[in-house]
């Protein structure tokens, strides 16, 4: 039962997406083009996030530690 | 100025567009515009077959005809949702109507009829306020009798051989109904406005017209050649400022006083559902000595305790309005328009109006329909059917509007107007709403860009005295379902539902979530 209501909810969410971006009105090949473009963009953004965000977070963490601490971690070694 | 003039509360609301909804609407239009450019590119380079109107090969080097925004919108946005308009009906447009089913195999460029007729669709789109669009009953029988007596055609203009005794009878009746000295009837409501305003004003006169006036009033004002100034919709401060400027500064170059100042307003504005602030307009008109032209196309028969229009609704005297114009199309189930006023005015119009000189006069069965329905409303046919209908319409209006507001939709306009606009905003929802309601056997009218501002598209319900409470409940249930399906409940004010208060209570408790 939960799976069915979950599926219905996801289908309803998909319908809302279609209505807001007006892909409800598009012909099938236009929909294909639009979704391909969107999914490509989304995948690229997620991949960039996966590669760069951990590095940025560790660097920021060390910067703030250096700013507020200034202790024995002067010679900090960067983990590759 | 407004406190002592209104004898009853004036509840009008236009809730503001929520910011997120506005942004998402622009996103939707942006996506459709990009795809519109793509399709235009493909049509230009012959990748796709061009099915809309284009110039001929020989004219390609001339000034382009179809490059402006209207045509772009037409072929890229309107075509995608075109199946919600121009639907052919095949029965009398009463409370329920039959519609011919049609499908399109090439995305709304062409339609074919399947041959099936969809029966008993609840009709929320016809201007049938008092339910006189009937195929049986006293009006129909009287019209059939007159048809067998006079025939259908008049074959002449009013001034030549087209003045029947039926027309004289009708005009006396209309004058009595409105409470004016004299009236004149014309064959077409649009032509009444556009052909008579040029006869009343000319160059050297000033027309102050409301922002959202109907195309017929705008056309008549432009044809007259007078100077036109626009005031904000129903905004009395804006109107007073324009009047003051007109009196103080006079005509633009010569500073002479204006020959006439005419204020053009409508009783009910059909796209907003708002009612004109008539007491204030009349007070201003008297203070600045100008004239008032009131177009009661939607409000005659629909407002007021005995259906005599917006003048009676506010409890004012019809002598204060100089020109009372209205149509027979909406509440009387016929066609045509009238103008009522002082005897000198109407006698002048009989001679100088373009419509009287050049247009064919009203057809006799139509005149009889108007006469019978008007007598019914006034109660002169011996029954109280008319009064019951007027009261039923008022009850339906209050009930429908209250229920829709409780459900959480954004509804524009005055509490008492039988025209109910429900805001949709996003372009895909315009098409989706029309189609989903038709699937559930309810016919609605959805309105989009040229008639409304581009992000404020809406669905417009026209209530009728012929709708029973069961029909309204069915319609409300379906609208609720479609509203949940399409996420249309944008309103941020939550009304506490009234349990059993009587219908003339107009105070609500508002809680903001």
């Amino acid at each position: 039962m939960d799976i069915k209501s979950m599926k219905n909810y996801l289908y309803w969410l998909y319908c809302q997406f279609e209505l807001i971006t007006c892909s409800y009105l598009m012909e099938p090949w236009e929909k294909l083009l639009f979704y391909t473009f969107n999914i490509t963009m989304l995948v690229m953004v997620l991949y960039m996030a996966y590669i760069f965000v951990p590095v940025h977070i560790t660097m920021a963490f060390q910067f703030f530690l250096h700013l507020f601490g200034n202790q024995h971690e002067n010679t900090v070694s960067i983990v590759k | 100025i407004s406190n002592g003039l209104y004898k009853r509360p004036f509840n009008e609301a236009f809730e503001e567009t929520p910011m997120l909804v506005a942004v998402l609407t622009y996103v939707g239009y942006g996506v459709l515009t990009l795809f519109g450019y793509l399709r235009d590119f493909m049509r230009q380079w012959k990748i796709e077959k061009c099915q809309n109107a284009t110039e001929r090969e020989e004219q390609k080097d001339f000034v382009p005809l179809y490059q402006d925004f209207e045509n772009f919108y037409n072929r890229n946005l309107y075509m995608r949702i075109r199946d919600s308009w121009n639907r052919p009906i095949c029965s009398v447009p009463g409370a329920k109507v039959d519609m011919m089913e049609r499908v399109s195999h090439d995305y709304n460029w062409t339609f074919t009829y399947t041959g099936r007729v969809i029966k008993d669709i609840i009709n929320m789109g016809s201007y049938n306020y008092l339910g006189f669009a009937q195929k049986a009953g006293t009006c129909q029988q009287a019209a059939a009798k007159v048809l067998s007596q006079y025939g259908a055609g008049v074959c002449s203009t009013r001034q030549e051989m087209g003045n029947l005794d039926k027309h004289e009878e009708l005009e006396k009746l209309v004058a009595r109904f409105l409470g004016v000295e004299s009236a004149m009837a014309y064959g077409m409501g649009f032509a009444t406005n556009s052909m008579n305003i040029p006869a009343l004003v000319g160059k050297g006169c000033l027309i102050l017209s409301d922002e959202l006036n109907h195309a017929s009033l705008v056309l008549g004002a432009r044809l007259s050649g007078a100077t036109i100034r626009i005031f904000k919709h129903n905004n009395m401060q804006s109107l007073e400022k324009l009047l003051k400027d007109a009196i103080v500064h006079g005509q633009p170059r010569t500073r002479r006083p204006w020959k006439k100042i005419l204020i053009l307003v409508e009783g009910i504005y059909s796209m907003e559902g708002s009612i004109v602030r008539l007491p204030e307009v009349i007070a201003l008109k008297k203070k600045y000595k100008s004239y008032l032209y009131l177009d009661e196309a939607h409000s005659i028969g629909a407002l007021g305790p005995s259906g005599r229009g917006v003048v009676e609704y506010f409890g004012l005297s019809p002598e204060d309005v100089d020109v009372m114009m209205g149509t027979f199309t909406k509440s009387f189930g016929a066609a045509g328009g009238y103008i009522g006023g002082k005897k000198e005015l109407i006698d002048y119009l009989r001679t100088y109006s373009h419509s009287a000189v050049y247009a064919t006069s009203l057809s006799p069965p139509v005149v009889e329909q108007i006469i019978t329905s008007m007598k019914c409303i006034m109660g002169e046919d011996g029954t109280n059917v008319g009064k019951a209908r007027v009261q039923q319409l008022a009850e339906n209006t209050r009930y429908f509007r209250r229920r829709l507001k409780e459900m959480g939709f954004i509804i524009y306009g005055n509490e008492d107007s039988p025209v109910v606009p429900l805001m949709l905003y996003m372009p895909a929802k315009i098409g989706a709403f029309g189609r989903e309601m038709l699937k559930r056997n309810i016919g609605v009218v959805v309105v989009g860009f040229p008639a409304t501002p581009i992000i404020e598209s809406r669905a417009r319900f026209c209530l009728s005295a012929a709708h029973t409470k069961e029909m309204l409940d069915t319609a409300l249930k379906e609208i609720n379902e479609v509203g949940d399906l399409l996420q249309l409940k944008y309103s941020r004010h939550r009304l506490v539902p009234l349990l059993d208060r009587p219908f003339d209570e107009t105070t609500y408790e508002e809680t903001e979530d």
Side-chain angles (χ1 to χ4, degrees):
Chain A
M1 273 308 122
D2 204 30
I3 303 287
K4 192 152 171 39
S5 70
M6 193 62 170
K7 269 179 29 184
N8 281 343
Y9 180 65
L10 285 176
Y11 181 67
W12 179 81
L13 270 184
Y14 168 67
C15 283
Q16 297 310 306
F17 171 76
E18 265 201 330
L19 282 174
I20 290 178
T21 55
C22 299
S23 45
Y24 174 83
L25 301 175
M26 294 182 193
E27 300 174 24
W29 62 270
E30 286 175 334
K31 261 194 212 180
L32 188 68
L33 206 64
F34 186 63
Y35 288 161
T36 313
F37 175 76
N38 274 4
I39 292 179
T40 314
M41 283 294 167
L42 193 66
V43 163
M44 273 172 29
V45 166
L46 287 176
Y47 183 61
M48 288 291 154
Y50 169 70
I51 292 191
F52 285 113
V53 166
V55 178
H56 283 318
I57 289 190
T58 34
M59 278 173 47
F61 177 65
Q62 282 159 2
F63 171 74
F64 280 118
L65 221 54
H66 177 76
L67 202 62
F68 293 126
N70 204 11
Q71 286 158 1
H72 55 276
E73 267 144 349
N74 256 339
T75 55
V76 73
S77 59
I78 300 184
V79 177
K80 278 249 174 60
Chain B
I1 191 177
S2 56
N3 282 337
L5 294 173
Y6 288 91
K7 302 185 179 77
R8 54 193 295 165
F10 188 84
N11 291 323
E12 201 164 273
F14 298 95
E15 190 176 331
E16 226 184 74
T17 313
M19 176 65 83
L20 180 63
V21 173
V23 168
L24 292 177
T25 312
Y26 282 122
V27 164
Y29 274 111
V31 168
L32 281 179
T33 314
L34 285 174
F35 274 95
Y37 282 131
L38 175 69
R39 298 290 291 271
D40 275 348
F41 175 78
M42 287 169 54
R43 278 189 272 258
Q44 169 112 13
W45 285 89
K46 309 272 191 297
I47 306 175
E48 183 191 354
K49 186 168 86 119
C50 183
Q51 283 160 313
N52 58 297
T54 43
E55 302 105 322
R56 297 205 311 260
E57 275 308 312
E58 305 89 63
Q59 293 173 326
K60 290 268 187 211
D61 292 326
F62 285 47
V63 173
L65 292 173
Y66 300 105
Q67 237 183 32
D68 56 346
F69 181 67
E70 309 275 318
N71 285 297
F72 177 82
Y73 179 87
N74 199 24
R75 58 175 180 260
N76 293 314
L77 277 79
Y78 174 69
M79 280 298 168
R80 293 180 193 266
I81 46 179
R82 191 161 84 119
D83 57 313
S84 297
W85 292 289
N86 296 330
R87 291 182 185 147
I89 62 174
C90 48
S91 77
V92 66
K96 291 203 175 176
V97 71
D98 300 338
M99 211 180 271
M100 297 192 61
E101 194 187 24
R102 55 179 188 171
V103 288
S104 171
H105 298 290
D106 52 356
Y107 302 101
N108 291 348
W109 287 97
T110 56
F111 291 104
T112 48
Y113 295 109
T114 60
R116 195 171 80 93
V117 170
I118 315 175
K119 289 206 165 290
D120 287 338
I121 297 181
I122 297 180
N123 187 359
M124 310 283 313
S126 292
Y127 303 133
N128 183 19
Y129 298 129
L130 293 177
F132 280 111
Q134 293 164 312
K135 57 184 182 192
T138 44
C139 295
Q140 179 265 341
Q141 283 164 4
K145 186 155 162 296
V146 165
L147 180 65
S148 61
Q149 245 179 311
Y150 287 82
V154 182
C155 306
S156 180
T157 66
R158 198 67 197 277
Q159 280 194 356
E160 293 172 7
M161 284 276 282
N163 194 15
L164 306 175
D165 56 345
K166 281 279 163 209
H167 293 128
E168 304 274 332
E169 190 189 334
L170 171 67
E171 287 174 0
K172 290 201 186 65
L173 183 64
V174 168
R176 213 151 39 87
F177 181 71
L178 296 172
V180 291
E181 287 181 19
S182 171
M184 181 166 177
Y186 303 92
M188 183 175 157
F190 189 99
T192 310
N193 272 334
S194 48
M195 298 294 122
N196 284 312
I197 297 179
L200 295 172
V201 288
K203 267 172 78 107
C205 303
L206 176 65
I207 292 184
L208 298 175
S209 141
D210 189 292
E211 209 177 8
L212 299 176
N213 267 339
H214 190 252
S216 56
L217 290 164
V218 172
L219 186 62
R222 287 183 189 169
L223 274 178
S224 67
T227 313
I228 307 174
R229 295 204 180 139
I230 316 267
F231 62 93
K232 294 203 184 65
H233 177 62
N234 237 359
N235 188 332
M236 296 299 117
Q237 287 79 26
S238 172
L239 176 59
E240 181 159 21
K241 179 171 180 315
L242 283 181
L243 277 166
K244 274 190 194 162
D245 283 341
I247 304 282
V248 166
H249 297 294
Q251 298 192 29
R253 233 178 356 100
T254 58
R255 301 289 189 213
R256 290 195 192 136
W258 293 101
K259 282 196 226 161
K260 261 179 270 201
I261 303 180
L262 185 67
I263 306 176
L264 291 183
V265 287
E266 288 189 38
I268 292 184
Y269 291 90
S270 65
M271 277 304 151
E272 310 282 313
S274 53
I275 299 183
V276 66
R277 293 176 183 271
L278 198 60
E280 293 179 58
V281 173
I282 290 189
L284 280 175
K285 159 194 114 90
K286 286 183 179 161
K287 181 174 171 190
Y288 292 98
K289 296 198 177 45
S290 50
Y291 299 100
L292 179 60
Y293 185 105
L294 178 66
D295 177 347
E296 286 202 88
H298 286 269
S299 54
I300 190 78
L303 285 182
S306 66
R308 309 229 172 176
V310 71
V311 173
E312 197 198 14
Y313 174 73
F314 285 111
L316 301 165
S317 152
E319 289 172 355
D320 289 331
V321 180
D322 303 290
V323 189
M324 286 180 71
M325 177 263 172
T327 59
F328 300 121
T329 326
K330 279 89 182 182
S331 301
F332 300 99
Y338 65 84
I339 290 198
K342 298 241 174 324
K343 190 166 180 316
E344 295 88 30
L345 172 73
I346 301 297
D347 285 344
Y348 177 83
L349 280 179
R350 280 187 215 278
T351 327
Y352 285 94
S353 156
H354 295 293
S355 196
V357 181
Y358 296 109
T360 317
S361 35
L362 283 157
S363 178
V366 173
V367 174
E368 186 61 29
Q369 159 82 18
I370 305 169
I371 293 178
T372 323
S373 56
M374 209 177 261
K375 284 191 175 153
C376 183
I377 297 175
M378 294 203 282
E380 288 182 4
D381 59 343
T383 63
N384 62 348
V385 165
K387 198 148 174 59
R389 282 183 193 216
V390 173
Q391 277 173 351
Q392 178 73 29
L393 176 66
E395 275 179 31
N396 284 355
T397 307
R398 305 291 255 289
Y399 177 65
F400 197 75
R401 276 181 169 266
R402 179 171 63 82
R403 285 286 305 272
L404 281 180
K405 286 211 178 122
E406 279 169 14
M407 286 180 196
F409 295 101
I410 296 187
I411 306 288
Y412 273 10
N414 198 303
E415 287 300 318
D416 292 321
S417 94
V419 178
V420 185
L422 188 152
M423 303 307 289
L424 298 172
Y425 299 114
M426 299 184 198
K429 294 191 185 180
I430 308 175
F433 192 78
R435 289 175 201 160
E436 292 294 321
M437 292 304 279
L438 189 59
K439 272 191 221 164
R440 292 165 170 78
N441 253 16
I442 301 185
V444 297
V445 169
V446 289
V447 200
F449 165 56
T452 65
I454 194 153
I455 54 167
E456 289 171 22
S457 54
R458 55 201 76 175
R460 189 181 67 178
F461 300 103
C462 291
L463 296 166
S464 163
H467 286 137
T468 59
K469 193 155 182 297
E470 291 76 36
M471 284 188 219
L472 287 185
D473 283 334
T474 320
L476 282 164
K477 185 167 83 66
E478 304 295 354
I479 295 173
N480 197 9
E481 224 177 274
V482 173
D484 281 329
L485 181 68
L486 301 179
Q487 272 282 62
L488 291 172
K489 300 189 176 177
Y490 302 120
S491 180
R492 282 173 299 195
H493 305 292
R494 289 279 172 267
L495 291 177
V496 174
L498 303 176
L499 290 174
D500 32 17
R501 296 224 202 145
F503 275 115
D504 51 359
E505 282 280 355
T506 50
T507 50
Y508 298 96
E509 287 165 35
E510 263 193 26
T511 60
E512 288 213 5
D513 271 337

